[in-house]
Amino acid sequence: MPSRTCTACTTRSPAIRQSRQQGVVTLAMTLLVLFLSSLMVFQSSAGLLFEIRTGNNLVSQSKAMEAARGGVEHALAWLASGAVSSTALTSAGNWSNDGSGPSGNNQQASSSLFGSAVSAQSIGSYSVAVSLWRNAATPDTLEIRATASGDASASIRQKVQLGTLTTTTSTPVTLNLASFAPIVVEGSLGDCGKKKSCITGNPSVTAGDSGVAIMTSVSAASNQPGHLSITGQVQGNAFSGSAWDFVFPDTSKEQMRLESEAQAAAELAAQQAGTSYQRTVYYFDASNIGDIVSKNWHQDIGSPSQPAILVFDSGAGCPKMNGGVVIYGLVYYADSCGKNGWGGATLTGTLVTEDNLSDLTANTQFRGWSASTGSGSISLPPAISTGTASSLNRKTASWRDF
């Protein structure tokens, strides 16, 4: 039987082979593209992971830096609080030689000076070691070093300068009239030489709550009250020194003058504004005594609820209190006014004089302050005191975080 040839099979075989070859090429290209794509994805992922790690490192480094900064600030606050004195900070016994500190320093503060409460701190998840250094040649310059350790580490240094500054303290001062007798004399009362008594007329003095009617700087036996009607005790040797210092131990005459001027200005302003203002301090000396007509005092001042102070300082002379004047408060004479006399005045509070009081005439009444009168409290200019205190200042351009 004759053989048959498949013409279709013969003619399709090259096409099939070509198709298969194209499939292989396509597969190879696809795999290559997939490989390259995977490689690019891997490369991108690696870069992303690197950036994440870098970012984490930066965050950790920033936290470490802030922890170290906190250690320095805590040490600065501790030093500024006065927890340790400047004497202790500069004492050689509180420092030990150590050359391992920041450059330029050769001594480290001992643990007794710079204790663990400051030197060993925990801030967040970081441990912070703080140390205090100095150079023995310049003991007033200190350097704080703080090193934080944890996920990262950082170190910061700061120099500070020790010094002193002048401090001024203002303390309120109050005069309590009930603490003093109605008459306070530096010297004696009624001693006027050959006369049996210089106190005539019908003056009277009545003690307040203290029970003391007269206080003098000499013995009680040196006083000659004469016709003075006394209700209460006569206390001799009640004080030494000036009567001003006895009554105003914390207030100077200059302070009193300035207070009087300030109140006079306030009083004038109130008058111009049509409002009321009650002064509590009046001060006169040679510079302004001419303001008083005939140099006698006829003006009522003070009240039971708001007593006043009337000061006639050196040069003001001895204005007489007469004409029925009524005063609640304290009257002070600096000049020798023992013989000027008083007439028809009523003083509830205290008369203070820096010389013997030899003349008291007419119907003058001196009444001591009592609780039933009023509070008897007068605000005085504050006591000003000065002192020194340690100062602590950061040295310019001494911060180091590298």
Side-chain angles (χ1 to χ4, degrees):
M1 183 175 184
S3 60
R4 295 181 182 177
T5 303
C6 180
T7 304
C9 292
T10 304
T11 57
R12 286 199 299 263
S13 294
I16 293 173
R17 285 197 299 270
Q18 183 178 5
S19 176
R20 289 177 179 175
Q21 290 174 356
Q22 288 177 349
V24 170
V25 172
T26 301
L27 178 61
M29 292 298 295
T30 302
L31 291 175
L32 179 60
V33 171
L34 179 61
F35 172 76
L36 292 176
S37 299
S38 299
L39 185 61
M40 292 176 63
V41 170
F42 176 77
Q43 190 67 24
S44 299
S45 299
L48 181 60
L49 290 174
F50 176 78
E51 290 181 3
I52 291 174
R53 286 195 295 268
T54 301
N56 288 337
N57 289 339
L58 289 174
V59 170
S60 298
Q61 186 64 36
S62 178
K63 289 182 178 179
M65 188 67 71
E66 291 303 317
R69 185 193 300 271
V72 170
E73 294 297 335
H74 179 71
L76 284 171
W78 179 79
L79 289 170
S81 70
V84 60
S85 67
S86 58
T87 302
L89 284 172
T90 55
S91 175
N94 289 326
W95 298 83
S96 58
N97 294 329
D98 190 337
S100 64
S103 176
N105 297 285
N106 55 20
Q107 289 186 329
Q108 182 178 8
S110 64
S111 58
S112 60
L113 176 67
F114 202 67
S116 60
V118 185
S119 63
Q121 303 174 36
S122 179
I123 301 178
S125 60
Y126 290 83
S127 297
V128 183
V130 185
S131 52
L132 187 63
W133 302 82
R134 75 174 188 179
N135 189 304
T138 54
D140 291 336
T141 301
L142 309 180
E143 185 164 10
I144 302 168
R145 180 173 68 179
T147 301
S149 57
D151 293 337
S153 61
S155 183
I156 290 179
R157 307 193 312 274
Q158 171 71 65
K159 287 185 178 181
V160 294
Q161 184 70 44
L162 294 177
T164 58
L165 52 83
T166 301
T167 60
T168 301
T169 304
S170 177
T171 305
V173 178
T174 302
L175 173 71
N176 185 3
L177 290 171
S179 301
F180 301 100
I183 297 178
V184 176
V185 182
E186 183 192 353
S188 62
L189 174 70
D191 186 1
C192 54
K194 296 180 180 180
K195 292 183 181 181
K196 182 177 181 180
S197 173
C198 294
I199 299 179
T200 59
N202 297 299
S204 65
V205 55
T206 304
D209 290 342
S210 68
V212 180
I214 300 171
M215 292 177 169
T216 69
S217 61
V218 300
S219 66
S222 300
N223 298 300
Q224 298 178 16
H227 292 278
L228 177 63
S229 174
I230 302 175
T231 303
Q233 304 173 14
V234 177
Q235 183 178 349
N237 299 319
F239 62 95
S240 60
S242 70
W244 179 277
D245 291 338
F246 175 58
V247 178
F248 304 110
D250 300 311
T251 306
S252 68
K253 291 183 177 181
E254 178 63 12
Q255 285 180 294
M256 199 71 79
R257 181 185 68 81
L258 294 174
E259 179 66 20
S260 175
E261 291 178 354
Q263 291 193 15
E267 183 181 43
L268 178 60
Q271 291 173 354
Q272 294 173 343
T275 58
S276 62
Y277 180 85
Q278 186 172 349
R279 291 176 63 177
T280 58
V281 176
Y282 301 80
Y283 176 94
F284 297 93
D285 59 12
S287 66
N288 64 345
I289 191 61
D291 297 343
I292 302 177
V293 179
S294 73
K295 294 189 178 181
N296 289 326
W297 188 269
H298 296 153
Q299 176 184 345
D300 296 345
I301 62 170
S303 66
S305 61
Q306 194 170 1
I309 297 172
L310 177 59
V311 175
F312 296 108
D313 202 359
S314 299
C318 307
K320 293 183 179 181
M321 303 287 167
N322 52 30
V325 66
V326 176
I327 297 174
Y328 287 89
L330 182 146
V331 179
Y332 170 85
Y333 288 99
D335 289 336
S336 180
C337 298
K339 295 183 179 182
N340 72 324
W342 282 45
T346 300
L347 171 62
T348 302
T350 301
L351 166 68
V352 183
T353 176
E354 294 287 7
D355 196 10
N356 298 329
L357 186 60
S358 55
D359 285 2
L360 285 175
T361 59
N363 299 316
T364 303
Q365 299 180 54
F366 300 93
R367 300 171 181 171
W369 202 273
S370 62
S372 60
T373 307
S375 68
S377 178
I378 306 176
S379 295
L380 300 177
I384 306 298
S385 59
T386 59
T388 58
S390 300
S391 65
L392 186 72
N393 299 302
R394 300 173 188 251
K395 293 203 71 173
T396 304
S398 66
W399 179 273
R400 296 290 183 270
D401 55 10
F402 49 87

